[in-house]
C-alpha cells in the first residue's frame, strides 16, 4: 500500500479500516511504481506468519541462500528482487532514505548495507541497480531486520 503519510497503514488494512496489524506499505517518499533507485517497504512481523512474519525465519534459517528472491506485485507489474543484504541494526535511519536516482549518496548507502550484511554478493551489480529494502522488527526490542534486494521490472537481476 502507499499513502502520503507513513503512519496511515501502520494500523489500517487495505480498505483503510482500523486493523491492529496494519498492512505492508511503501515509504511515502517512494514512487508508488517502485522506480526510485532505493524504495523502502515497512511491515509488522506477525507471530502468525503474516506480513513480514516469516522474513526472520527465511533469513536466519539460510533459506534465502537457496532461494534469494522476493516478489512485489502491484496493479501494473510484478517485480522480482534478489536479496543482496540482510542484517539487524538499532540504527535504522541511515538505511531508510529513499533515493530517486543512482547517485554517490545512494552508492554509499548500498556500500553500508553490504558491509553490515551477513549475505555475500557481487558489489558491482548492486551499485548499478534499483533496490528495495524491507523493514520489520528484529529479534531484539530495539532492533530492526533489514532485507534489501536488487531488481528491475521483468528483468532477472542476476
Amino acid at each position: 500500500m502507499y499513502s502520503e503519510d507513513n503512519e496511515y497503514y501502520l494500523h489500517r488494512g487495505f480498505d483503510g479500516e482500523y486493523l491492529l496489524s496494519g498492512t505492508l506499505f511503501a515509504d511515502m517518499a517512494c514512487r508508488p511504481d517502485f522506480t526510485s533507485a532505493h524504495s523502502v517497504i515497512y511491515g509488522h512481523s506477525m507471530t502468525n506468519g503474516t506480513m513480514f512474519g516469516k522474513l526472520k525465519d527465511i533469513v536466519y534459517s539460510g533459506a534465502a541462500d537457496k532461494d534469494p528472491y522476493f516478489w512485489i506485485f502491484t496493479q501494473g507489474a510484478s517485480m522480482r528482487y534478489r536479496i543482496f543484504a540482510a542484517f539487524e541494526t538499532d540504527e535504522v535511519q541511515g538505511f531508510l532514505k529513499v533515493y530517486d536516482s543512482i547517485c554517490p549518496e545512494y552508492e554509499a548507502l548500498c556500500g553500508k548495507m553490504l558491509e553490515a550484511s551477513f549475505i555475500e554478493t557481487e558489489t558491482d551489480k548492486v551499485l548499478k541497480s534499483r533496490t528495495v529494502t524491507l523493514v520489520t522488527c528484529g529479534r531484539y526490542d530495539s532492533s530492526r531486520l533489514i532485507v534489501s534486494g536488487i531488481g528491475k521490472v521483468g528483468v532477472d537481476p542476476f
Side-chain angles (χ1 to χ4, degrees):
M1 299 303 296
Y2 177 80
S3 170
E4 293 179 3
D5 174 3
N6 277 347
E7 301 288 318
Y8 186 79
Y9 284 107
L10 193 59
H11 296 294
R12 293 179 194 262
F14 292 105
D15 59 3
E17 296 296 317
Y18 177 79
L19 182 64
L20 180 62
S21 62
T23 192
L24 301 177
F25 62 94
D27 189 285
M28 65 187 189
C30 297
R31 293 184 193 139
D33 61 358
F34 295 97
T35 57
S36 300
H38 181 236
S39 298
V40 178
I41 300 175
Y42 303 98
H44 293 293
S45 178
M46 304 305 292
T47 55
N48 67 1
T50 60
M51 307 270 283
F52 286 149
K54 294 187 180 195
L55 197 54
K56 285 184 247 185
D57 295 337
I58 291 168
V59 169
Y60 291 117
S61 71
D65 294 333
K66 296 177 186 133
D67 185 12
Y69 296 97
F70 64 85
W71 289 85
I72 296 177
F73 299 98
T74 66
Q75 289 179 333
S78 60
M79 297 158 272
R80 183 169 84 155
Y81 291 84
R82 181 179 172 94
I83 297 171
F84 75 88
F87 56 96
E88 276 193 57
T89 184
D90 290 333
E91 299 177 26
V92 296
Q93 292 308 319
F95 297 105
L96 304 183
K97 182 162 175 39
V98 173
Y99 290 95
D100 282 334
S101 61
I102 295 174
C103 60
E105 293 83 6
Y106 167 77
E107 291 176 353
L109 169 69
C110 290
K112 281 177 58 177
M113 288 185 192
L114 287 164
E115 280 180 30
S117 181
F118 53 79
I119 294 174
E120 303 241 352
T121 273
E122 297 175 41
T123 307
D124 61 325
K125 292 183 181 181
V126 173
L127 298 178
K128 298 174 186 172
S129 303
R130 288 191 180 125
T131 60
V132 169
T133 294
L134 312 177
V135 182
T136 193
C137 338
R139 295 178 292 181
Y140 310 102
D141 288 342
S142 63
S143 70
R144 294 292 175 260
L145 175 63
I146 294 181
V147 176
S148 295
I150 62 172
K152 296 178 184 174
V153 178
V155 177
D156 186 350
F158 286 160

